[in-house]
Amino acid sequence: MAIILLGFMASGKSSLGRKLAKEVDLPYIDLDQEIERVLGTSISQYFDQEGEAAFRKIEGEVLKDLSAQEAILATGGGIVELPHNRDILADNGQNIYLSADFSKLYERIENDEKNVRPLFLNNSRADLEKIYQRRRPFYQDLAHLKIDVNRPLEEITQELLTYLRKE
Ligand code: S3P
């Protein structure tokens, strides 16, 4: 089973996932990248053309396949939206929630020129905060470990390694 990283957009799932994978010598899988591979197009383009509901369905299918792998799996922030996806996550043994304040995350989303998220483009700041508040209890309930990510990556990695060694 995968070690699954959960958290809102820009919480640092990919950076932590890559670093952690090296430390524990497991493959790193980025769910969004895998989805783009399956779709043959970018997530932004798919959102535009097919809409969010269609994206969520594919996201769930890819999650189901990949959660069975021995790997570090970084998910997209909206993975907890569908009950079906939450059921898959609930069956997984190691879910790590990367937690941060909304204002910090918003600043990072806004400044991320390399990854302009469709939800950022399609929602006001207030609407995005509502989405954050709605998802928070899901991340929280599904997590076996919650990590405050408003700290240097090295520190976060060490905390996670300590946790994984105890498991
Ligand atoms: C989404 C988050 C994105 C990506 C898609 C939808 C979301 O991933 O899956 O744009 O609904 O929060 P990141 O959390 O890696 O930005």
Side-chain angles (χ1 to χ4, degrees):
M1 262 190 209
I3 295 171
I4 299 187
L5 305 181
L6 300 173
F8 202 65
M9 290 171 260
S11 55
K13 292 160 291 188
S14 313
S15 320
L16 179 63
R18 259 186 235 107
K19 188 159 165 55
L20 189 66
K22 275 197 202 124
E23 298 277 352
V24 296
D25 201 19
L26 280 175
Y28 167 71
I29 308 174
D30 184 304
L31 192 70
D32 282 347
Q33 266 174 20
E34 290 300 315
I35 294 169
E36 289 188 331
R37 217 166 46 83
V38 169
L39 295 176
T41 181
S42 73
I43 290 175
S44 301
Q45 217 153 40
Y46 194 78
F47 253 72
D48 277 354
Q49 284 163 2
E50 307 293 333
E52 184 172 346
F55 170 76
R56 296 286 167 224
K57 203 168 157 279
I58 309 276
E59 190 180 32
E61 285 163 13
V62 180
L63 171 69
K64 178 119 190 83
D65 283 351
L66 296 181
S67 59
Q69 308 253 339
E70 286 291 323
I72 308 290
L73 178 60
T75 55
I79 197 74
V80 294
E81 290 283 1
L82 292 190
H84 174 67
N85 295 356
R86 296 200 293 273
D87 289 345
I88 298 171
L89 291 166
D91 282 342
N92 191 66
Q94 280 175 324
N95 298 325
I96 318 293
Y97 169 31
L98 280 57
S99 159
D101 290 344
F102 178 73
S103 53
K104 186 82 211 152
L105 294 170
Y106 192 78
E107 197 184 301
R108 287 167 65 167
I109 294 168
E110 223 178 0
N111 292 321
D112 194 345
E113 285 166 11
K114 274 190 266 156
N115 183 8
V116 182
R117 282 113 170 150
L119 257 70
F120 169 69
L121 294 177
N122 299 340
N123 289 282
S124 65
R125 182 186 166 123
D127 286 342
L128 211 57
E129 183 159 13
K130 278 189 205 135
I131 296 174
Y132 167 86
Q133 296 297 355
R134 186 181 68 226
R135 290 177 182 174
R136 218 151 55 128
F138 294 139
Y139 300 135
Q140 195 103 30
D141 288 353
L142 289 164
H144 301 97
L145 176 72
K146 174 182 168 184
I147 294 195
D148 172 7
V149 291
N150 208 0
R151 292 180 296 155
L153 182 60
E154 187 55 44
E155 217 177 289
I156 301 166
T157 310
Q158 287 313 317
E159 181 179 335
L160 198 36
L161 286 173
T162 307
Y163 164 78
L164 292 173
R165 281 186 197 117
K166 278 195 218 135
E167 283 297 289

